[in-house]
Amino acid sequence: MKILIVEDDLEAADAMARGLTEAGHECVKAADGEEGLGAAHAGQFDVMIVDRMMPKMDGVTLIQTLRREGDGTPVLFLSALGEVGDRVTGLQAGGDDYLVKPYAFAELIARVEALARRRETGSVATVLKVGDLEMDLIGRTVHRQGKEIDLQPREFQLLEFMMRHAGQSVTRTMLLEKVWEYHFDPQTNVIDVHISRLRSKIDKGFDRPMLQTVRGAGYRLDA
Amino acid sequence: MRLPRIFRTTAFRLTLLILALFASASLAFLAYIYVATASEATRRTDREIVQEMRSLTGAYDRAGLDAVNQSLIERAASERPFLYLLMGPDGKRISGSIEASPVESFRGDASWTTFSVTDQDAHGRTLKHPARGLQERLKGGEILFVGADVGEDEAYLVKVVRALWGAGGLVLILGLCCGVLVSRNVSRSMAGLAGVLEAVNNGDLGARAPVRNTRDEFDELAQGLNEMLDRLERSMAGHKHAGDAIAHDLRSPLTRLRARLEAAYLDVEAGKADPTQAIEQALEDTDGVLKTFNAVLAIARLQAAGSAPDPVLFDPAELAADISELYEPLCEDKGIDFAAELTKGLQVRANREFMAQALANLLDNAVKYTPAGGAIMLRVRRRSSGEVEFSVTDTGPGVPEEDRARVVERFVRLENSRNQPGAGLGLSLVAAVAEAHGGRIELDEGPGKVGESGPGLRVALILPRAG
């Protein structure tokens, strides 16, 4: 993927670019909002990573400008502001996701890849397929190798998210945010328990486990 | 060109305005008095002249010219204040108290005139008096003139005018005094407000505007200013406290982290430890510090703000059901019996995210401390006071009564929880969330001792009734 990084902290931008390049992505860096706007105009990007507080033009203004111009590139906001209101402002301005600094790199890369994926699937499919796992979004049914799997509503949502991001790592925080819509760090392993329940339903009795644990990052659904 | 400062002050302008009002009002009033007095005096003199004239012409009509002549001579000699002149049809003087008629070009109809008479005072000085007169032709063709000295009226009018000028001066002085008083009050109130602003600008947030309890606009302004300053001071104190708290709370975990890194470094140097493991441990510790930081920041911000941001009306049972659904599998895995008793249809006005986090913290704690085979109960109910109570009851070890007030403080971890994960901020955040919503938390014993476990803990988060 081609990623634009708009971040005034050069060290942070370098570290980000290095990590993303290692993961096989191509990165372009811009050191402030104005430079970021120029770069966005000059090239086609799959995802933009934008810091909120920057000199010359802050991240929110930059994204509002791009959105007004009809640029729909997915945006991940990075921010040292972690208030409820800040996140809402960022998302209202046209951001697609929001990550509070400091973050684990695994969290950043998982979110960036999830954003790019969202763009590809136009979300119009009524059936999701990953390997031999099939989800009918209209009938609300799930089959693996033709066998119906009975899921609770929340488990269904959880699996849907994992299937939409099949092959990518998704973090616990992402799951809590996207599936439960909560934005806090639980002190306990609540998410793991839900995942292990889902795993026992979709992997148990089949030769190949699909729901993988990615150490230090979270989970991944593999075909 | 700018006016000197005095002319630009509101006080000066107010004084001027009040003075102008007083002056114009009194001018109009005094002018009216003058005109009324003067015209009344003239009318009275004219009436008297006409009456005198009527009585003389009446005598003429009744008894002829001689009677009038007789009457004139008598009247001229008496103390009556009139001037008489009887003339023949040709205008020649027949008798009277003056030599010649002051009426010029008399055409025969009744005509009024204003003239002056000379007189001698006691010192032999010649005085000129203004006078008015009426001249008519009698039926026989003779001409009769009756005049009156209006000097006294004039003198009276002069006195009136003098009195009026005096009154006008008094009014002006009064107006000036009023203006000065009013504007001094205004500028004193203004100066009070300006002084407060200056003091605040110079960093004294404790300065307050004087309130005189007159309940006028200035008092309202002063009260408004004071309320704003109160809020500002509270908020500043809150922020300062938050800053101090963050500095204080992060110092220990950071010191610990540094010590561990140092120890790891020495171990790696000495070949006693695997660097990868040391780095992993350091990362984990850093995450711990960050979690602590976020929690401290959230608490500090809530305390500094003094109120929860973006409150919305919602049904607490729905939120509690949502959170239950998140925690139920966790309890089940641990072999804890989880139940929820949720009264539906209540309403609270609160920030959903903070409330969700508070409930999650309470359930986190309950799950952490409740042994396998224990039970956790989440309740939402309405108290008889109308308040809404969320409560989490567990069958864990509970908190001794003497420690209950303390566990709410930041970083307080009781002896038996030292081996549990967490920084000791869970309950502090719950308390901060409750306070930010105008509520409170209560801790008491759970269901009591059952065999080895208990007595349990019941933590209630109580919110005021919505509306």
Side-chain angles (χ1 to χ4, degrees):
Chain A
M1 289 197 296
K2 205 170 165 197
I3 300 168
L4 173 63
I5 299 169
V6 192
E7 163 69 275
D8 60 320
D9 178 345
L10 298 180
E11 201 180 323
D14 282 340
M16 231 186 295
R18 203 170 51 238
L20 289 166
T21 310
E22 271 173 27
H25 304 295
E26 186 191 336
C27 296
V28 174
K29 287 179 291 181
D32 60 58
E34 282 180 11
E35 207 179 305
L37 191 62
H41 287 159
Q44 279 287 322
F45 294 97
D46 298 300
V47 177
M48 293 185 219
I49 301 172
V50 179
D51 186 29
R52 268 197 69 167
M53 300 228 278
M54 290 183 295
K56 289 191 189 166
M57 187 193 276
D58 66 282
V60 169
T61 313
L62 166 64
I63 298 312
Q64 279 172 333
T65 310
L66 285 173
R67 291 290 184 255
R68 266 201 304 274
E69 293 169 356
D71 186 333
T73 311
V75 169
L76 170 66
F77 268 123
L78 295 181
S79 170
L81 310 162
E83 294 260 293
V84 180
D86 302 326
R87 196 178 53 244
V88 173
T89 317
L91 299 181
Q92 277 173 344
D96 300 278
D97 201 358
Y98 197 96
L99 190 55
V100 178
K101 288 178 177 182
Y103 46 83
F105 189 74
E107 191 74 45
L108 175 84
I109 206 154
R111 283 170 188 265
V112 166
E113 289 179 350
L115 279 181
R117 170 63 57 97
R118 183 184 314 173
R119 203 177 186 193
E120 289 164 28
T121 54
S123 307
V124 284
T126 57
V127 175
L128 299 176
K129 272 191 180 174
V130 177
D132 52 11
L133 191 64
E134 250 184 58
M135 175 179 270
D136 178 351
L137 293 169
I138 300 202
R140 312 296 284 173
T141 55
V142 175
H143 291 86
R144 186 168 178 187
Q145 293 175 5
K147 272 193 223 143
E148 182 162 353
I149 297 169
D150 183 31
L151 295 179
Q152 298 290 325
R154 189 69 75 183
E155 290 167 341
F156 189 93
Q157 282 177 300
L158 187 55
L159 182 60
E160 183 188 342
F161 187 81
M162 296 301 298
M163 286 177 84
R164 285 189 187 279
H165 298 284
Q168 297 173 0
S169 299
V170 290
T171 64
R172 291 170 180 81
T173 330
M174 274 166 89
L175 290 171
L176 191 64
E177 273 179 29
K178 313 291 175 191
V179 179
W180 278 271
E181 294 178 1
Y182 289 137
H183 301 268
F184 53 81
D185 301 333
Q187 300 290 317
T188 43
N189 53 340
V190 265
I191 300 297
D192 304 75
V193 176
H194 283 269
I195 288 282
S196 71
R197 296 205 159 195
L198 181 62
R199 183 181 276 148
S200 70
K201 286 187 177 180
I202 66 165
D203 285 341
K204 212 170 178 180
F206 294 97
D207 48 323
R208 244 176 358 88
M210 291 178 79
L211 243 177
Q212 310 289 340
T213 303
V214 185
R215 207 160 160 268
Y219 299 98
R220 192 181 58 234
L221 186 72
D222 282 334
Chain B
M1 197 194 100
R2 292 195 66 176
L3 292 166
R5 192 179 134 61
I6 172 92
F7 296 113
R8 285 186 284 116
T9 59
T10 310
F12 179 79
R13 288 179 191 166
L14 259 178
T15 308
L16 219 58
L17 182 73
I18 290 169
L19 200 57
L21 277 173
F22 263 78
S24 46
S26 58
L27 192 71
F29 179 64
L30 298 178
Y32 171 78
I33 288 180
Y34 173 78
V35 169
T37 314
S39 62
E40 176 53 34
T42 312
R43 271 203 306 273
R44 204 187 56 227
T45 309
D46 288 3
R47 259 201 318 271
E48 282 166 357
I49 290 174
V50 169
Q51 251 170 0
E52 195 68 12
M53 181 66 89
R54 287 293 148 263
S55 104
L56 286 168
T57 52
Y60 178 89
D61 291 343
R62 278 194 310 275
L65 186 66
D66 286 346
V68 174
N69 213 348
Q70 185 61 37
S71 175
L72 264 191
I73 293 162
E74 281 170 18
R75 287 181 188 214
S78 75
E79 284 298 292
R80 295 177 91 91
F82 294 102
L83 304 164
Y84 307 98
L85 178 63
L86 181 61
M87 295 167 279
D90 51 358
K92 267 216 153 93
R93 177 174 187 276
I94 297 172
S95 65
S97 53
I98 52 174
E99 291 306 307
S101 166
V103 179
E104 294 156 20
S105 64
F106 180 65
R107 284 191 303 276
D109 43 2
S111 49
W112 285 95
T113 182
T114 305
F115 58 105
S116 54
V117 285
T118 48
D119 193 6
Q120 304 256 317
D121 69 357
H123 308 286
R125 273 185 307 210
T126 308
L127 293 175
K128 272 197 165 195
H129 290 286
R132 270 180 75 72
L134 173 65
Q135 185 163 300
E136 284 184 5
R137 193 179 284 278
L138 299 176
K139 283 180 181 149
E142 298 84 357
I143 300 166
L144 179 59
F145 172 88
V146 179
D149 185 340
V150 292
E152 275 185 25
D153 283 344
E154 286 282 328
Y156 169 68
L157 263 187
V158 166
K159 276 188 197 143
V160 167
V161 168
R162 225 180 269 145
L164 290 184
W165 276 117
L170 266 179
V171 163
L172 281 189
I173 289 167
L174 203 62
L176 194 65
C177 290
C178 263
V180 168
L181 264 175
V182 168
S183 57
R184 209 178 53 167
N185 266 347
V186 169
S187 53
R188 201 184 284 160
S189 311
M190 283 299 212
L193 295 177
V196 173
L197 288 178
E198 194 178 4
V200 171
N201 267 335
N202 291 333
D204 175 16
L205 265 182
R208 292 294 177 271
V211 176
R212 296 163 308 167
N213 293 323
T214 47
R215 305 178 68 176
D216 59 3
E217 298 89 330
F218 287 108
D219 251 14
E220 277 177 24
L221 193 59
Q223 265 163 342
L225 187 67
N226 289 349
E227 276 164 28
M228 185 188 86
L229 286 171
D230 284 343
R231 279 190 66 105
L232 200 63
E233 200 176 22
R234 270 202 306 274
S235 159
M236 291 287 279
H239 282 291
K240 186 182 176 310
H241 176 77
D244 293 350
I246 291 168
H248 168 268
D249 292 352
L250 285 178
R251 195 162 284 137
S252 338
L254 282 171
T255 310
R256 253 203 317 277
L257 173 64
R258 197 184 178 289
R260 276 191 185 176
L261 272 176
E262 210 163 13
Y265 175 75
L266 291 173
D267 285 348
V268 171
E269 278 279 272
K272 279 193 282 187
D274 171 17
T276 321
Q277 238 181 352
I279 290 171
E280 267 180 14
Q281 183 62 51
L283 273 175
E284 221 169 280
D285 287 351
T286 313
D287 284 345
V289 173
L290 282 173
K291 271 191 179 168
T292 304
F293 175 76
N294 287 337
V296 171
L297 195 65
I299 293 169
R301 277 177 170 173
L302 272 175
Q303 285 174 338
S307 66
D310 316 316
V312 290
L313 269 180
F314 62 88
D315 181 342
E318 279 176 28
L319 181 72
D322 226 28
I323 294 279
S324 305
E325 188 262 330
L326 184 64
Y327 279 86
E328 205 171 357
L330 187 66
C331 296
E332 212 173 303
D333 265 29
K334 245 192 108 171
I336 298 167
D337 193 9
F338 177 87
E341 273 182 13
L342 312 174
T343 309
K344 289 193 169 59
L346 301 176
Q347 285 219 309
V348 289
R349 181 181 295 284
N351 176 299
R352 267 190 89 102
E353 293 231 353
F354 279 124
M355 286 305 296
Q357 182 156 13
L359 290 183
N361 280 10
L362 291 179
L363 288 169
D364 272 332
N365 276 347
V367 171
K368 263 194 297 197
Y369 295 112
T370 306
I376 293 174
M377 165 73 85
L378 171 66
R379 271 198 194 89
V380 170
R381 63 188 186 106
R382 186 176 167 279
R383 289 191 160 198
S384 54
S385 58
E387 294 166 310
V388 172
E389 174 192 283
F390 298 79
S391 67
V392 173
T393 310
D394 63 49
T395 57
V399 174
E401 201 166 340
E402 59 273 17
D403 291 330
R404 280 178 203 157
R406 223 162 47 89
V407 288
V408 178
E409 291 167 20
R410 296 192 318 277
F411 299 103
V412 172
R413 312 203 56 203
L414 300 175
E415 269 323 300
N416 60 6
S417 66
R418 289 258 179 254
N419 54 354
Q420 293 281 1
L425 287 167
L427 273 181
S428 318
L429 185 76
V430 178
V433 169
E435 272 163 34
H437 288 95
R440 62 188 187 282
I441 69 171
E442 284 176 3
L443 274 71
D444 47 56
E445 203 171 83
K449 268 219 169 309
V450 181
E452 283 303 296
S453 73
L457 181 68
R458 176 177 164 279
V459 186
L461 192 170
I462 297 141
L463 291 187
R465 57 197 309 172

